[in-house]
């Protein structure tokens, strides 16, 4: 049995054990709907660095020494479930960043980030997540993935409602950010966000703090995408509330918190794959940020 097959087998066995221990899972997330790129998204820059396949159901972003490229959603959204499948830049990807994020458009902006930091051949990708509220970020967490994200497509998702933000990889929660307004922590609730993705050169910081530079002899660097799922409350940029508040599946009581199985999966990621967590960084935060205990991130 090869290493990848063995890892997949152990992962399946592990999840099966969790189900036996936890009982049935509460409310499972609805399966994303596979739709073409053009249904929900438009290119934003360097249009000639985006390639389309299978009738627009799959696209590739290209990065070379001249430019990267990116795209954004047509609409803006207040809350929802957002997902896409990605296959990251293979081989020597040091210096490159592939980003998938939600962001509002003002100076005190809200933002929900997936950033995939490339690395030298043979070294694993780092997935960095961050949450900005009212223009304040500095809530970085970094993990390794339990698979090679360059070999096959994998699903990366955000669930965002009035109660929490959940980051998921193949439906496994890797991070939760709870609404802690009662603790004095701002939470994104009244600024509609667009969804963005981009592939760009960030060799001043992305790999080993900028020590590893992009090897342009390996260009073009290519990231692939499919399944451009959006199930959100579409709003104008000026909207301050969701007109269907409380009526959507992702806004129901069962999605106010993770269930026992999801918390066990999150704990597994924390114990096995987390390499940096701002909640435990006492050099930056002598006192633990108040949201960390509620998020069970300590």
């Amino acid at each position: 049995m090869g290493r990848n097959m063995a890892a997949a087998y152990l992962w399946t066995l592990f999840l099966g054990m969790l189900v036996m221990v936890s009982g049935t899972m509460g409310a499972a997330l609805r399966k994303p709907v596979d739709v073409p790129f053009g249904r929900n998204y438009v290119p934003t820059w360097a249009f000639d660095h985006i390639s389309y396949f299978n009738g627009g159901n799959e696209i590739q972003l290209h990065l070379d020494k001249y430019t990267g490229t990116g795209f954004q959603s047509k609409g803006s959204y207040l809350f929802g479930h957002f997902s896409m499948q990605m296959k990251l830049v293979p081989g020597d990807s040091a210096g490159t960043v592939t980003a998938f994020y939600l962001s509002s458009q003002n100076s005190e902006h809200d933002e929900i980030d997936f950033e995939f930091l490339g690395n030298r051949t043979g070294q694993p990708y780092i997935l960095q997540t961050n949450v900005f509220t009212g223009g304040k970020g500095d809530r970085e967490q970094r993990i390794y993935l339990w698979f090679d994200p360059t070999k096959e497509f994998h699903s990366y998702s955000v669930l965002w409602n009035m109660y929490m933000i959940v980051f998921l990889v193949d439906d496994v929660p890797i991070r939760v950010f709870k609404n802690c307004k009662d603790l004095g922590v701002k939470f994104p609730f009244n600024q509609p966000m667009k969804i963005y993705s981009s592939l760009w050169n960030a060799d001043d910081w992305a790999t080993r703090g900028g020590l590893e530079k992009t090897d342009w002899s390996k260009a073009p660097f290519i990231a692939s995408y499919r399944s451009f799922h959006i199930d959100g409350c579409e709003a104008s940029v000026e909207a301050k509330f969701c007109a269907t508040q409380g009526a959507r599946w992702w806004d129901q009581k069962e999605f106010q918190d993770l269930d026992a199985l999801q918390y066990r999966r999150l704990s597994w990621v924390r114990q096995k794959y987390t390499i940096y967590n701002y909640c435990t960084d006492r050099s930056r935060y002598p006192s633990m940020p108040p949201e960390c205990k509620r998020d069970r991130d300590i």
Side-chain angles (χ1 to χ4, degrees):
M1 182 182 294
R3 179 182 296 179
N4 290 340
M5 291 181 63
Y9 172 77
L10 290 174
W11 172 238
T12 302
L13 181 62
F14 173 77
L15 293 185
M17 292 173 64
L18 287 185
V19 172
M20 291 172 63
V21 171
S22 306
T24 58
M25 188 172 175
L29 300 179
R30 288 194 181 176
K31 181 178 173 57
V33 178
D34 296 339
V35 298
F37 172 81
R39 176 81 59 86
N40 292 321
Y41 290 96
V42 292
T44 49
W45 47 293
F47 292 11
D48 62 338
H49 281 55
I50 302 180
S51 300
Y52 300 85
F53 303 91
N54 190 23
N57 286 289
E58 183 178 331
I59 69 166
Q60 291 181 345
L61 303 189
H62 296 246
L63 166 67
D64 57 30
K65 64 181 179 180
Y66 302 104
T67 186
T69 188
F71 60 89
Q72 69 178 45
S73 62
K74 295 177 180 179
S76 299
Y77 301 88
L78 265 176
F79 313 119
H81 180 229
F82 312 95
S83 176
M84 57 180 73
Q85 294 183 15
M86 303 166 61
K87 184 164 58 174
L88 303 181
V89 175
D92 189 341
S93 58
T96 70
V97 173
T98 309
F100 164 40
Y101 62 102
L102 288 75
S103 182
S104 61
Q105 292 95 47
N106 56 34
S107 58
E108 294 188 357
H109 76 294
D110 297 331
E111 188 169 316
I112 303 168
D113 291 342
F114 279 101
E115 291 182 312
F116 302 88
L117 312 183
N119 219 328
R120 295 264 89 104
T121 302
Q123 299 298 313
Y125 260 85
I126 292 173
L127 170 52
Q128 175 172 285
T129 59
N130 205 349
V131 177
F132 287 74
T133 60
K136 180 187 181 301
D138 298 326
R139 299 185 177 98
E140 299 90 348
Q141 294 182 359
R142 291 184 171 192
I143 68 168
Y144 291 131
L145 295 165
W146 50 95
F147 53 83
D148 184 341
T150 73
K151 298 296 187 185
E152 304 289 344
F153 282 96
H154 291 269
S155 175
Y156 304 93
S157 309
V158 170
L159 175 68
W160 170 36
N161 58 29
M162 278 290 294
Y163 311 102
M164 63 180 179
I165 297 165
V166 186
F167 297 77
L168 303 110
V169 175
D170 291 339
D171 289 333
V172 175
I174 64 164
R175 179 174 186 174
V176 61
F177 184 83
K178 297 285 190 62
N179 187 336
C180 295
K181 290 185 67 178
D182 59 312
L183 302 179
V185 180
K186 291 184 177 181
F187 185 83
F189 77 99
N190 64 353
Q191 296 191 67
M193 298 197 225
K194 287 184 179 291
I195 303 101
Y196 299 86
S197 189
S198 58
L199 173 60
W200 50 292
N201 177 46
D203 66 3
D204 57 331
W205 67 270
T207 307
R208 295 184 60 215
L211 294 177
E212 300 282 355
K213 301 300 183 182
T214 304
D215 182 354
W216 292 112
S217 71
K218 302 295 196 300
F221 302 97
I222 299 174
S224 302
Y225 297 75
R226 69 185 187 192
S227 186
F228 302 93
H229 169 79
I230 292 178
D231 184 354
C233 180
E234 191 164 4
S236 68
V237 174
E238 294 78 21
K240 298 296 184 183
F241 66 94
C242 173
T244 58
Q245 185 70 37
R248 308 292 283 271
W249 69 265
W250 38 259
D251 209 16
Q252 300 306 303
K253 182 177 180 180
E254 54 265 39
F255 297 103
Q256 293 182 15
D257 199 356
L258 302 184
D259 64 20
L261 173 58
Q262 290 169 325
Y263 268 121
R264 284 182 171 86
R265 288 177 168 179
L266 177 61
S267 178
W268 177 76
V269 172
R270 282 283 160 270
Q271 294 171 18
K272 295 282 190 179
Y273 296 102
T274 299
I275 55 177
Y276 176 79
N277 186 347
Y278 79 105
C279 288
T280 58
D281 189 341
R282 292 295 164 263
S283 63
R284 291 177 65 192
Y285 297 97
S287 298
M288 184 176 63
E291 68 271 16
C292 293
K293 185 173 183 180
R294 184 171 291 178
D295 295 344
R296 302 194 191 183
D297 260 331
I298 55 174

